Amino acid sequence: MGCLKNILRAVVLTLAVIGFMSLGGKELVAGLINNYIHPSHDTLLERAQKVGDFSHINDEFEIEKAAGIMGYNAVVAEHKASGQKMFVVESGDKTIITAEDIKSPDVEEKLKKAISKVKYQAIAVDDLRVTKHGTMHSYGKEVPFVKFEARVKKLPIGDVGGIISVAQTKDGEPRILISANEKSKYSQLISDEFFRKIK
C-alpha cells in the first residue's frame, strides 16, 4: 500500500512539473536565474544604495557589481572607454583604513598592513609605493587620497596605478574608495568624475 502511495505521488509530481513547464515555467525560472546572475541596471542601483547614492553617475561608467565581496558591501564600476575600475567599499565595523591613515606620513606602511588584513587569494599585491597625496570631492565633501603604484600578481596586468581614499557618508560611516588601471592608462580625471557624483 505504501509503495502505491509513493508511485501516485511521483506521478502527480511529474504531472505538476510538466504542467508548470508547459505554462511557461521554464522561461520564468530561466528569467529569475538570469536576473540574479545578470541583474538589470535598476537592480544594481538599488543594491548599491547600501553603499551610497550612485544615481547621478553618467553613462561613461557602468556599475558591474553591487554585492557582498569578501565580507564587505561593495560596488564595482568601470569606465567603459578606458577599462579603469572603481571600487567603493563599506567595511562596516571592520576598520581597514581611515582618512587619518591616508593623511599620515607613514601611509605606505598603513596601506601594506591593510592589504595584509584583506588578503584575497586570487590577487597578490607587491611593491606598493605611494607617489602623491591629494584631495578630491566625494560624498559631498573634500576627501584625502593617495596615489599609488604597485605590482599585481596572478592577473594578466602587472603594474597598476591608482588612488585610495576614505570618505564619510552623511551618517559618518566610512567608505573606502579605490580606483585603478594599468599604470600607463590610469587617469585621475576619470576617478575625480566618478567619485564626485557619489552622494
Side-chain angles (χ1 to χ4, degrees):
M1 188 69 173
C3 185
L4 184 61
K5 208 185 266 187
N6 286 341
I7 290 171
L8 281 173
R9 272 193 202 142
V11 168
V12 168
L13 184 60
T14 303
L15 289 173
V17 168
I18 291 169
F20 177 73
M21 293 301 195
S22 67
L23 294 174
K26 183 178 177 186
E27 289 79 17
L28 176 69
V29 171
L32 289 171
I33 290 171
N34 191 41
N35 282 343
Y36 183 75
I37 295 171
H38 305 289
S40 69
H41 179 69
D42 291 340
T43 303
L44 282 173
L45 279 178
E46 190 178 309
R47 288 182 192 166
Q49 289 300 324
K50 294 176 186 171
V51 178
D53 180 1
F54 292 82
S55 61
H56 303 288
I57 302 295
N58 67 36
D59 292 341
E60 291 178 63
F61 301 96
E62 180 180 1
I63 293 179
E64 295 181 331
K65 285 188 174 78
I69 299 172
M70 298 181 289
Y72 307 100
N73 284 323
V75 174
V76 180
E78 180 180 61
H79 182 254
K80 293 176 189 174
S82 69
Q84 186 161 313
K85 299 279 190 186
M86 277 68 61
F87 304 84
V88 181
V89 182
E90 179 226 343
S91 59
D93 299 334
K94 307 169 205 156
T95 303
I96 299 169
I97 195 155
T98 66
E100 289 73 34
D101 293 337
I102 296 291
K103 295 178 199 172
S104 77
D106 61 339
V107 64
E108 201 168 289
E109 287 307 310
K110 292 180 187 273
L111 287 173
K112 287 176 182 175
K113 194 180 283 187
I115 289 167
S116 69
K117 281 187 206 174
V118 198
K119 274 265 197 255
Y120 183 50
Q121 298 305 315
I123 302 171
V125 177
D126 276 345
D127 301 330
L128 177 84
R129 290 182 325 281
V130 170
T131 60
K132 182 182 173 187
H133 288 258
T135 60
M136 65 181 182
H137 213 76
S138 190
Y139 285 89
K141 300 175 190 130
E142 200 71 21
V143 297
F145 73 81
V146 288
K147 196 168 184 183
F148 71 89
E149 293 176 357
R151 181 173 300 277
V152 180
K153 293 181 178 176
K154 302 181 184 176
L155 283 181
I157 56 172
D159 292 339
V160 296
I163 60 160
I164 297 175
S165 178
V166 177
Q168 296 223 332
T169 66
K170 288 181 265 185
D171 303 330
E173 295 176 9
R175 298 292 185 264
I176 299 168
L177 313 176
I178 302 168
S179 181
N181 205 344
E182 290 179 52
K183 189 165 87 172
S184 61
K185 295 181 181 178
Y186 175 75
S187 166
Q188 186 60 39
L189 291 173
I190 291 171
S191 297
D192 289 342
E193 175 66 18
F194 180 80
F195 291 125
R196 184 171 52 85
K197 301 280 188 178
I198 304 170
K199 303 288 181 206

